[in-house]
Amino acid sequence: MFDKAEVHLGIAPIAWTNDDLPELGGENTFEQCVSEMALAGFTGSEVGNKYPKDTAVLKKALELRGIRIASAWFSSFLTTRPFEETAAAFIQHRDFLNAMGAKVIVVAEQGHSIQGMMDTPVFDAKPVFTEEEWKKLAEGLEKLGKLAQEKGMNIVYHHHMGTGVQTTAEIDKLMELTNPTLVYLLFDTGHLTFSGENPETVLKKYAARIKHVHLKDIRQAVLAKVKTEKMSFLQAVKAGVFTVPGDGMIDFAPLFAELGKHNYKGWFIVEAEQDPAVANPLEYAIKARQYIKEKTSL
Ligand SMILES: O=C1C[C@@H](O)[C@H](O)[C@@H](O)C1=O
Ligand SMILES: [Co+2]
């Protein structure tokens, strides 16, 4: 189904220590996190707050464990701040990732975002961009795409709950407004399902533009509670809305099949943030690794 030389498996540190919710996993060290990633059979990671900032130190720690950096999240503010501000921060982030050997940069627009607001119901208050904001976003992303390509890298846009690019219609609009050779898409199974979208529909439309995949599953009963109790995105995470692939309501078989059909190349990153005191990160990493093996033979 996949070319093993071209498709790699990583896991995000967010299951060990959650940068959005520092009280989750504050006690887990960087060394424990990357050692357990390797122990569970992963060869890649994204970057968390506890990772050493010095690239030589980080490289040594990762090489000892057979782990590479696949990418890292970047928050853009293209709709609400001058482009130069986002560009300066982006260049620093790009150069760090380039030094670490990553090929893609995860970008998510945080202008007007409610994803970090603890008490704002995620289904009631997501931002909706004006036409002017869409224009700023699209033009700004194309410029970031060019900056990434200066170093032989690409940007992958992360649709996300509580932001202006969350729904299928919003992804469609962004994809339409941007040049497909400058702005690629990150496919996050958990965020699409959380929002009520059909991941397979999005995948079928944009398989050729997808250059990075986040694999997370959704606990259906928790999602129902998030809606009835009007929880925020962070409250939903704390309540356990996300889990590892195979442990929730998503059928991953057709998604893997579709990506395989399009000869997907790049990383699959298991990214299942939940409370590590409730869901042991090593145990869940092993569970995810086994599930991926069963479904894909990777
Ligand atoms: O890619 C991601 C990064 C996190 O910080 C975010 O909130 C999470 O849900 C996600 O998908
Ligand atoms: Co994600």
Side-chain angles (χ1 to χ4, degrees):
M1 185 192 279
F2 295 109
D3 178 349
K4 287 189 181 178
E6 304 273 11
V7 179
H8 312 286
L9 286 186
I11 187 161
I14 200 162
W16 282 264
T17 51
N18 190 324
D19 295 343
D20 303 335
L21 280 164
E23 73 264 30
L24 298 190
E27 68 287 1
N28 293 331
T29 64
F30 160 71
E31 287 78 6
Q32 178 194 341
C33 172
V34 289
S35 294
E36 292 186 357
M37 287 172 171
L39 195 57
F42 291 93
T43 57
S45 167
E46 291 193 353
V47 181
N49 250 341
K50 290 194 176 176
Y51 283 38
K53 307 285 177 270
D54 182 317
T55 53
V57 176
L58 180 55
K59 268 185 201 162
K60 181 169 179 194
L62 294 180
E63 273 167 20
L64 285 170
R65 295 163 173 91
I67 301 267
R68 289 186 287 146
I69 291 299
S71 187
W73 173 278
F74 177 77
S75 296
S76 64
F77 291 90
L78 297 162
T79 57
T80 52
R81 298 185 194 166
F83 173 75
E84 293 64 33
E85 227 177 272
T86 287
F90 179 81
I91 287 168
Q92 260 197 340
H93 186 78
R94 174 200 70 179
D95 291 349
F96 169 79
L97 283 180
N98 186 43
M100 293 307 301
K103 291 287 168 217
V104 292
I105 306 170
V106 176
V107 178
E109 174 64 13
Q110 291 303 299
H112 307 296
S113 166
I114 58 157
Q115 80 180 65
M117 294 180 185
M118 191 42 112
D119 297 313
T120 307
V122 70
F123 279 107
D124 294 353
K126 78 171 276 316
V128 175
F129 293 145
T130 63
E131 284 307 315
E132 182 58 22
E133 286 167 342
W134 276 111
K135 192 166 179 284
K136 282 188 189 169
L137 177 62
E139 288 175 2
L141 287 175
E142 288 184 345
K143 287 186 203 160
L144 297 186
K146 282 185 192 152
L147 286 170
Q149 288 179 0
E150 280 176 7
K151 300 286 178 183
M153 304 168 81
N154 282 302
I155 63 163
V156 284
Y157 191 86
H158 197 318
H159 56 87
H160 199 289
M161 286 302 291
T163 72
V165 187
Q166 173 188 308
T167 65
T168 307
E170 289 162 347
I171 295 170
D172 287 345
K173 179 140 181 156
L174 185 72
M175 294 293 96
E176 247 169 59
L177 288 175
T178 51
N179 180 337
T181 67
L182 291 175
V183 180
Y184 292 89
L185 186 64
L186 181 155
F187 179 66
D188 188 313
T189 55
H191 280 278
L192 289 171
T193 307
F194 194 155
S195 173
E197 318 306 313
N198 181 337
E200 215 179 327
T201 307
V202 174
L203 187 51
K204 283 192 167 141
K205 262 193 245 178
Y206 300 114
R209 263 175 108 166
I210 293 169
K211 279 196 185 285
H212 202 56
V213 176
H214 282 174
L215 297 174
K216 60 223 272 175
D217 212 334
I218 294 283
R219 291 189 176 97
Q220 196 159 16
V222 181
L223 179 58
K225 220 168 154 230
V226 170
K227 289 179 185 167
T228 53
E229 295 183 14
K230 293 190 173 293
M231 288 185 199
S232 67
F233 175 68
L234 294 180
Q235 286 165 344
V237 169
K238 266 181 132 172
V241 73
F242 292 134
T243 183
V244 291
D247 190 42
M249 65 188 275
I250 302 177
D251 182 6
F252 283 85
L255 305 180
F256 286 132
E258 190 65 24
L259 285 161
K261 201 168 98 188
H262 285 89
N263 198 19
Y264 174 73
K265 292 185 178 71
W267 286 92
F268 282 122
I269 300 291
V270 172
E271 190 202 42
E273 63 259 48
Q274 48 188 333
D275 186 347
V278 177
N280 180 296
L282 176 58
E283 185 188 332
Y284 275 78
I286 292 170
K287 223 188 239 230
R289 184 67 193 88
Q290 278 170 351
Y291 180 76
I292 295 167
K293 192 173 221 161
E294 275 166 33
K295 295 288 167 189
T296 67
S297 76
L298 282 170

